[in-house]
């Protein structure tokens, strides 16, 4: 488990980076409505440069479908793709206005050319500012597990310019039954705060929650593992920077870089009883004279 003090430090470190990122982003917006007669939830995240992504899910099934596209000349277009990266459907919103309470569009099957009307109503924006305050807005996530899907719980206090992830819900598909709710304190990353993988290599899919982004490429996440005995997920003690999980070798690799690459740390772990066990670690620092990275003793 990552200590709260570490969260506080990370939060201070990333505030400048977050500010730069936020300049280029519009707020995530959640809508509810229909594709034809079928109820859906639709969440958009469109950048100011016109690129964007969205998630939608049919309320009767709750399996999220992620789409990507562009906003150009007030026309917002998203494409669905299959596993082979082939475009299968197109979603078009003419005269898109992010401030509008209503959103009308068309879903088009690119194979059959069948068209269905989309009619949406805005539920909320994830907005920012010093004087804005709200609590417990829920954002659908792009990934799901077998029979389960996720919603972030996001809150905004007057003390913070940006919204924060304060928790998440694990819900049962089709019934929307709440299976688990867990409190966290994480940076809001948007539609992809949650990822899935088999983090302890036991053959059962787990999930992680993006925690924070620090200087350079460094990131941290919280890792939640499945307990077959209880049928619940628990927060693991996995801790590290930019962890990568290799299912073939059953090894976890950590990479930490700072000072524009002048200092690097690499580590390799194995999992024993759901805990990380260090196998090896190496550290490099830039030698000013040679201009090359050289091995040094790790702290």
């Amino acid at each position: 488990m990552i200590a709260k003090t570490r969260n506080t430090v990370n939060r201070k470190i990333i505030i400048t980076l977050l500010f730069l990122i936020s300049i280029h982003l519009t707020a995530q917006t959640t809508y509810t409505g229909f594709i034809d007669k079928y109820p859906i939830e639709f969440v958009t995240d469109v950048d100011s440069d016109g690129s964007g992504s969205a998630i939608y899910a049919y309320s009767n099934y709750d399996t999220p479908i992620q789409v990507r596209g562009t906003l150009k000349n007030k026309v917002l277009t998203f494409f669905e793709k299959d596993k082979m990266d082939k475009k299968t459907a197109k979603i078009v919103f003419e005269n898109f206005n992010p401030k509008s309470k209503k959103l009308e569009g068309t879903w088009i099957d690119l194979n059959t050319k069948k068209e269905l009307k989309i009619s949406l109503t805005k539920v909320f924006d994830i907005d920012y500012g010093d004087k804005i305050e709200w609590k417990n807005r829920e954002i659908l996530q792009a990934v799901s597990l077998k029979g389960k899907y996720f919603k972030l719980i996001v809150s905004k206090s007057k003390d913070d310019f940006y919204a924060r992830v304060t928790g998440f819900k694990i819900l049962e598909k089709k019934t929307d039954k709440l299976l688990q709710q867990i409190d966290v304190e994480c940076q809001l990353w948007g539609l992809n705060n949650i990822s899935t993988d088999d983090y302890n290599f036991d053959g059962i899919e787990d999930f992680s929650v993006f925690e924070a982004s620090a200087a350079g490429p460094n990131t941290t996440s919280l890792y939640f593992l499945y307990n077959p005995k209880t049928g619940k997920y628990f927060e693991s003690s996995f801790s590290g920077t930019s962890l990568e999980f290799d299912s073939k070798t059953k090894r976890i690799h950590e990479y930490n870089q700072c000072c524009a690459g002048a200092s690097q740390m690499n580590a390799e772990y194995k999992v024993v009883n759901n805990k990380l066990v260090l196998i090896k670690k190496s550290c490099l620092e830039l030698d000013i004279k040679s201009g090359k990275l050289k091995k040094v003793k790790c702290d």
Side-chain angles (χ1 to χ4, degrees):
M1 184 181 294
I2 299 175
K4 290 184 178 179
T5 53
R6 183 175 180 183
N7 285 346
T8 303
V9 172
N10 283 337
R11 191 173 179 180
K12 291 179 180 179
I13 292 174
I14 65 173
I15 190 165
T16 301
L17 178 63
L18 285 176
F19 175 74
L20 293 174
I21 292 173
S22 70
I23 291 174
H24 302 288
L25 298 179
T26 58
Q28 293 89 32
T29 304
T30 292
Y31 302 86
T32 57
F34 296 86
I35 293 181
D36 193 32
K37 61 183 179 180
Y38 307 104
I40 64 168
E41 182 171 354
F42 201 101
V43 189
T44 62
D45 190 356
V46 183
D47 294 359
S48 60
D49 65 0
S51 62
S53 60
I55 304 168
Y56 77 93
Y58 291 95
S59 301
N60 292 335
Y61 300 97
D62 296 313
T63 296
I65 301 169
Q66 186 165 24
V67 295
R68 300 188 184 279
T70 58
L71 173 62
K72 187 176 182 181
N73 299 324
K74 294 186 178 181
V75 178
L76 180 59
T77 306
F78 294 112
F79 288 97
E80 292 181 36
K81 294 183 178 182
D82 60 19
K83 293 181 179 180
M84 302 302 293
D85 205 38
K86 179 183 177 181
K87 293 178 180 177
T88 57
K90 180 169 69 171
I91 297 172
V92 181
F93 298 103
E94 302 279 353
N95 299 313
F96 175 73
N97 181 353
K99 296 182 180 180
S100 176
K101 296 292 184 182
K102 299 290 184 179
L103 197 57
E104 301 290 333
T106 306
W107 180 91
I108 305 167
D109 187 314
L110 295 179
N111 294 316
T112 66
K113 308 304 179 183
K114 180 179 181 180
E115 296 188 5
L116 299 175
K117 180 182 177 181
I118 303 175
S119 180
L120 303 173
T121 300
K122 182 186 291 189
V123 180
F124 60 78
D125 288 315
I126 298 298
D127 43 6
Y128 304 95
D130 293 325
K131 298 181 180 180
I132 298 172
E133 184 175 23
W134 42 261
K135 291 184 178 180
N136 300 334
R137 292 179 180 174
E138 298 181 9
I139 305 178
L140 183 68
Q141 290 295 280
V143 298
S144 64
L145 298 168
K146 184 178 181 180
K148 307 178 183 74
Y149 71 102
F150 300 99
K151 282 195 172 183
L152 290 183
I153 303 172
V154 182
S155 296
K156 168 72 181 64
S157 68
K158 290 183 179 179
D159 297 331
D160 295 320
F161 188 86
Y162 302 100
R164 299 282 295 176
V165 177
T166 56
F168 60 87
K169 291 181 177 180
I170 305 172
L171 301 113
E172 186 176 62
K173 290 181 180 179
K174 298 184 180 180
T175 69
D176 298 324
K177 177 183 177 182
L178 179 62
L179 301 176
Q180 223 174 329
Q181 181 170 334
I182 299 176
D183 294 332
V184 294
E185 179 65 21
C186 295
Q187 174 189 333
L188 176 61
W189 196 245
L191 310 186
N192 297 285
N193 256 91
I194 294 180
S195 301
T196 60
D197 204 345
D198 179 8
Y199 294 117
N200 58 352
F201 312 119
D202 65 351
I204 302 174
E205 199 166 28
D206 309 302
F207 68 90
S208 62
V209 182
F210 182 86
E211 183 191 28
S213 175
N218 301 329
T219 63
T220 60
S221 294
L222 306 179
Y223 298 90
F224 294 84
L225 308 178
Y226 182 73
N227 185 337
K229 294 182 179 180
T230 64
K232 302 288 185 180
Y233 295 86
F234 65 95
E235 185 176 350
S236 74
S237 60
F238 291 9
S239 176
T241 304
S242 303
L243 297 183
E244 294 184 0
F245 297 76
D246 189 331
S247 60
K248 292 183 179 180
T249 62
K250 296 186 177 181
R251 294 292 184 262
I252 299 171
H253 301 275
E254 180 181 12
Y255 178 73
N256 192 327
Q257 174 184 306
C258 82
C259 313
S263 178
Q264 298 178 14
M265 185 279 290
N266 294 277
E268 182 178 335
Y269 304 89
K270 63 181 178 179
V271 180
V272 179
N273 296 325
N274 287 330
K275 298 183 183 298
L276 295 188
V277 176
L278 181 65
I279 298 174
K280 60 183 179 180
K281 183 177 182 180
S282 63
C283 296
L284 302 171
E285 285 189 5
L286 181 66
D287 181 76
I288 302 300
K289 292 182 179 181
S290 66
K292 297 180 179 180
L293 290 171
K294 291 188 176 182
K295 284 188 176 182
V296 296
K297 185 178 180 180
C298 297
D299 294 333

